[in-house]
Amino acid sequence: MIRYPKALLTGICIFTACRSASVPSPEPSSSPIAPETEVPTATRSTYRWVIPSATGTHSYTSTSRTIIQESRNQTRRDTIQVSMWFTITSNEHGDSIVLKGSIDSIHSKTSLPIVQKPVPFIASIKSGQIRFQSQSSGSPNHPCNNSIAEPLGDIVTILIARPADLSSGSTWTDTAAITVCSGGFPVSSQTVRSYRVMGQEAQSEAEILKLHRSETSTFSGSGAQNQHQVTITGKGERTSQISIDIRSGNPTNATIKETASVSITSSGQISQFIQQVDQTVTLIR
């Protein structure tokens, strides 16, 4: 879902248009020789948590490395590395959560422009659905030409629709929808994400709840680029390991691995690609 726009934009340029221009197992317990004593706080198991919704303003950093490779020719590949800093403000409004934020800075080895001023975005979480968009992206009535919005998909990884009441082994799903501008036209994705609670651990003087998330995505987009009519379609699978601060509800860290198959049609010619992504998102403050 989330990195397709920026990676596929590079794939289009390189491979098409440019041609013509787990739940851990417990350790075995030793024989109960000594009298039973209280388990130390640092290792005591907790089986139920009531975690508040994350609110307030927080800053994150995201680093991602994307490899896009032509399926029929493994020597034809490109690597995209992006570091991004962004801010999110979360507020509860009745039965939904509204998130407003901005991309504050980007460092990239691709053709993404330098951020001259914050790029705003807005998202909502309601009834297990996340909807996300750039406030400066195009619409049916306005040209989609804001290439700086391409990395917006990296932010969705840290947005989670979840129950407040969780227990060991809890499972649930949410969905995420995002449309961003890529190469002058919109690319939209739909993702179903399945979660499982893995357990609690102490981390940097905070109590952290660990989650495992698996995702399946489909995405598509079309438009004109370099005098070519381009269509993008594909599907992907992703796994994520996520940490949430039990006291505040804030996600503090996420590591993501993704593999996607991509089809790009340009002026009647179809090219197939494999995209692999490694991403880390970390709470700064």
Side-chain angles (χ1 to χ4, degrees):
M1 168 187 71
I2 19 200
R3 258 157 250 80
Y4 307 137
K6 69 167 180 279
L8 298 179
L9 174 61
T10 300
I12 294 169
C13 179
I14 292 174
F15 300 119
T16 56
C18 289
R19 294 179 190 169
S20 58
S22 135
V23 181
S25 301
E27 295 292 333
S29 58
S30 56
S31 301
I33 299 175
E36 183 178 353
T37 58
E38 182 181 5
V39 179
T41 301
T43 59
R44 183 185 295 120
S45 296
T46 302
Y47 297 99
R48 196 173 189 85
W49 304 268
V50 178
I51 303 177
S53 298
T55 57
T57 300
H58 302 281
S59 297
Y60 290 86
T61 181
S62 168
T63 58
S64 63
R65 182 173 184 267
T66 301
I67 299 174
I68 185 166
Q69 177 177 290
E70 191 170 14
S71 300
R72 292 180 298 180
N73 187 347
Q74 296 185 0
T75 63
R76 303 188 65 175
R77 59 191 297 176
D78 192 52
T79 300
I80 304 165
Q81 298 185 54
V82 176
S83 298
M84 178 172 63
W85 292 260
F86 61 93
T87 302
I88 296 179
T89 299
S90 306
N91 292 290
E92 291 189 78
H93 289 273
D95 59 350
S96 65
I97 298 175
V98 175
L99 305 102
K100 295 183 178 181
S102 63
I103 297 176
D104 303 314
S105 179
I106 291 177
H107 175 73
S108 172
K109 294 184 178 180
T110 68
S111 58
L112 291 175
I114 297 173
V115 175
Q116 301 293 342
K117 58 182 180 180
V119 178
F121 60 83
I122 187 169
S124 64
I125 301 176
K126 182 178 181 180
S127 301
Q129 296 183 329
I130 299 170
R131 300 207 172 268
F132 185 90
Q133 68 182 43
S134 166
Q135 291 179 288
S136 55
S137 294
S139 69
N141 299 320
H142 298 87
C144 186
N145 56 10
N146 182 23
S147 61
I148 195 63
E150 291 161 21
L152 282 169
D154 288 356
I155 300 172
V156 181
T157 56
I158 211 70
L159 306 183
I160 302 171
R162 59 169 174 79
D165 194 345
L166 297 174
S167 58
S168 298
S170 288
T171 60
W172 73 96
T173 62
D174 68 14
T175 62
I178 180 171
T179 299
V180 300
C181 295
S182 176
F185 58 86
V187 174
S188 300
S189 67
Q190 297 285 337
T191 304
V192 178
R193 313 190 301 182
S194 301
Y195 297 80
R196 178 180 292 274
V197 174
M198 306 302 291
Q200 177 180 338
E201 65 179 43
Q203 191 177 95
S204 301
E205 300 182 355
E207 290 299 320
I208 298 298
L209 192 65
K210 306 290 290 186
L211 307 178
H212 173 83
R213 182 174 69 196
S214 58
E215 310 175 36
T216 57
S217 302
T218 58
F219 57 94
S220 63
S222 63
Q225 186 184 69
N226 295 341
Q227 300 180 344
H228 292 263
Q229 185 64 29
V230 178
T231 299
I232 299 173
T233 59
K235 59 183 179 180
E237 296 184 352
R238 181 183 302 111
T239 58
S240 305
Q241 309 302 323
I242 303 168
S243 299
I244 294 179
D245 187 301
I246 292 175
R247 179 175 295 181
S248 68
N250 290 312
T252 61
N253 182 266
T255 58
I256 302 98
K257 290 186 177 294
E258 172 192 70
T259 300
S261 59
V262 184
S263 176
I264 299 177
T265 303
S266 178
S267 297
Q269 295 185 341
I270 301 175
S271 300
Q272 304 289 334
F273 303 92
I274 299 297
Q275 178 179 280
Q276 295 179 312
V277 180
D278 289 283
Q279 182 193 7
T280 301
V281 183
T282 304
L283 176 68
I284 301 174
R285 61 181 183 276

